[in-house]
Amino acid sequence: MAALNDGLKRLYNQKLKPLESTYHFDDFASALLSGPDERTIPGNTITVQAGMPFSGLTAFGSAFLSKFECSQMPHPLLEHMTLIDTPGVLSGEKQRTDRGYDFTGVTSWFAAKCDLILLLFDPHKLDISDELKRVISSLRGHDDKIRVVLNKADQVDTQQLMRVYGALMWSLGRVLNTPEVTRVYIGSFSDGPLNEAAGGPIGCDLFIKEHNDLLADLRDIPKNACDRWVNEFVKRARAAKIHAHIIGHLKKEMPILIGKTTAQEKLIYNLEEEFRKVQREFHLPIGDFPNVEHYREVLKSYNIDKFERLKPKMIQAVDDMLGYDIPELLKDFRNQNDG
């Protein structure tokens, strides 16, 4: 635990702190990972570099890649994890600023590939802007990865902190729309001393415990990496199965000869009802279905009549993989670890 804490502090002082003075993190996205020496690689270069996992970011264009960079440095901690700092979320009048790229899409892309997502809040800036709502909505399906951090909590006294915590939980409850209580880490997560005058002895003790809990969560990332990879693979397989059923159903609903344009418009308009038909016919979990509004927008760019028909053998192959192959693979993997 202490080694991880010291490692994170050294990383901040060695690399993140100098970067903070050079770039405006509201505009830039940064990746910090292990490398033989200290160097900074521009976004357009890192996406075409062999062995790097960022090639998929080319879909967001040069407008994003010009504001993305990868920093490498030799450090034992970075041999086990990569840190990503996404652009800051805009609020107020700044939300009207055109970023020039799909910011929500970028955060969703990173969310699908990471092991842990930290949402940082400030006691003096608890408002959840429209852009932040869209970002949090894009994280749906990755709820198990999300951790909320209430930073700079030593800047308010105990009574104010209770009110701030309650307001944050209420706001998050409305946005996340889940019955489970979100885990919130409270503290001052910096390399400076705690403000004991504001927190008092009870508050400072709480901040230390929360600090250690967050570090424990970070420490478990490498240990749980394999389970998370399998988890993500299973989620994608289930999503692909749902997608195949939806596409097959829409294709089946299209007329053979005339009225195809009108039929497509009607299917897209009534997409929510079409989802329910698919769910009832194939007895699929409704929670596995994609966001209907996003799906509707994507469908408008395609000709449904040219979609492939559903192939039951391929659906069965996915079911066999989820029901037999993956469990057997996990059994063998755990047996090797036990040995």
Side-chain angles (χ1 to χ4, degrees):
M1 183 77 69
L4 178 59
N5 191 9
D6 292 341
L8 288 171
K9 283 183 179 179
R10 285 198 300 273
L11 277 176
Y12 179 78
N13 289 326
Q14 283 177 253
K15 198 66 183 172
L16 297 182
K17 213 165 188 177
L19 279 175
E20 192 173 292
S21 62
T22 307
Y23 299 112
H24 191 252
F25 272 1
D26 275 352
D27 299 327
F28 271 80
S30 303
L32 181 61
L33 62 157
S34 180
D37 50 24
E38 292 194 20
R39 59 188 296 221
T40 299
I41 308 171
N44 283 288
T45 303
I46 198 67
T47 55
V48 295
Q49 188 167 328
M52 288 294 180
F54 302 114
S55 59
L57 290 172
T58 55
F60 301 103
S62 295
F64 169 71
L65 295 179
S66 64
K67 296 182 179 180
F68 174 64
E69 64 178 17
C70 174
S71 295
Q72 289 184 306
M73 64 181 296
H75 194 284
L77 186 63
L78 293 177
E79 294 175 4
H80 303 284
M81 65 174 68
T82 296
L83 304 176
I84 305 291
D85 182 78
T86 59
V89 177
L90 301 178
S91 60
E93 289 296 319
K94 291 182 179 179
Q95 294 181 84
R96 299 181 182 179
T97 304
D98 183 13
R99 293 181 183 267
Y101 62 89
D102 183 5
F103 175 66
T104 304
V106 168
T107 54
S108 180
W109 188 91
F110 279 117
K113 293 162 181 61
C114 72
D115 293 303
L116 206 63
I117 303 168
L118 299 180
L119 293 178
L120 272 68
F121 288 89
D122 187 309
H124 305 293
K125 300 176 184 177
L126 287 180
D127 61 309
I128 297 183
S129 65
D130 292 338
E131 185 173 66
L132 182 54
K133 286 179 183 177
R134 291 193 295 271
V135 168
I136 294 176
S137 296
S138 75
L139 301 180
R140 215 156 268 161
H142 306 290
D143 308 69
D144 56 317
K145 301 178 184 180
I146 298 176
R147 304 292 185 273
V148 178
V149 177
L150 180 56
N151 196 19
K152 304 178 184 178
D154 61 342
Q155 294 184 2
V156 296
D157 60 34
T158 306
Q159 186 178 22
Q160 289 175 310
L161 181 58
M162 290 175 63
R163 292 172 179 168
V164 165
Y165 180 79
L168 178 59
M169 293 299 290
W170 182 79
S171 298
L172 286 172
R174 295 183 64 191
V175 178
L176 292 173
N177 197 26
T178 57
E180 296 84 7
V181 177
T182 306
R183 176 63 164 102
V184 178
Y185 295 99
I186 307 171
S188 180
F189 301 92
S190 68
D191 57 346
L194 291 170
N195 181 9
E196 296 186 18
I202 296 178
C204 289
D205 183 56
L206 170 66
F207 297 159
I208 292 171
K209 289 179 179 178
E210 291 286 284
H211 188 268
N212 290 337
D213 284 350
L214 178 57
L215 289 176
D217 230 346
L218 294 171
R219 183 186 61 183
D220 286 341
I221 290 176
K223 183 174 66 177
N224 299 329
C226 183
D227 288 335
R228 287 197 179 276
W229 290 339
V230 173
N231 186 56
E232 285 301 315
F233 180 78
V234 170
K235 280 200 295 187
R236 291 190 181 195
R238 290 167 67 94
K241 177 183 170 182
I242 295 288
H243 177 65
H245 276 299
I246 294 172
I247 293 301
H249 169 78
L250 295 176
K251 170 69 174 180
K252 187 175 67 174
E253 293 296 308
M254 289 292 289
I256 297 176
L257 296 176
I258 60 174
K260 294 183 179 182
T261 301
T262 303
Q264 172 157 334
E265 291 175 354
K266 186 178 179 180
L267 286 171
I268 293 176
Y269 181 79
N270 297 318
L271 190 59
E272 194 168 359
E273 177 59 31
E274 301 305 322
F275 276 14
R276 283 194 286 266
K277 289 179 183 178
V278 174
Q279 190 265 329
R280 289 193 297 267
E281 181 180 355
F282 298 101
H283 308 288
L284 301 169
I286 194 65
D288 285 353
F289 278 72
N291 179 278
V292 67
E293 292 300 330
H294 177 68
Y295 209 92
R296 181 181 284 121
E297 287 301 314
V298 174
L299 268 181
K300 291 177 181 178
S301 304
Y302 290 87
N303 184 348
I304 294 178
D305 191 53
K306 294 185 177 180
F307 286 169
E308 293 285 336
R309 294 188 180 278
L310 185 67
K311 298 178 181 177
K313 286 185 177 180
M314 296 185 72
I315 298 295
Q316 187 60 50
V318 174
D319 287 337
D320 291 343
M321 177 193 68
L322 294 174
Y324 304 103
D325 298 340
I326 296 296
E328 286 299 316
L329 181 66
L330 288 175
K331 189 189 303 181
D332 292 341
F333 177 77
R334 289 196 170 90
N335 286 341
Q336 289 176 9
N337 283 347
D338 293 341

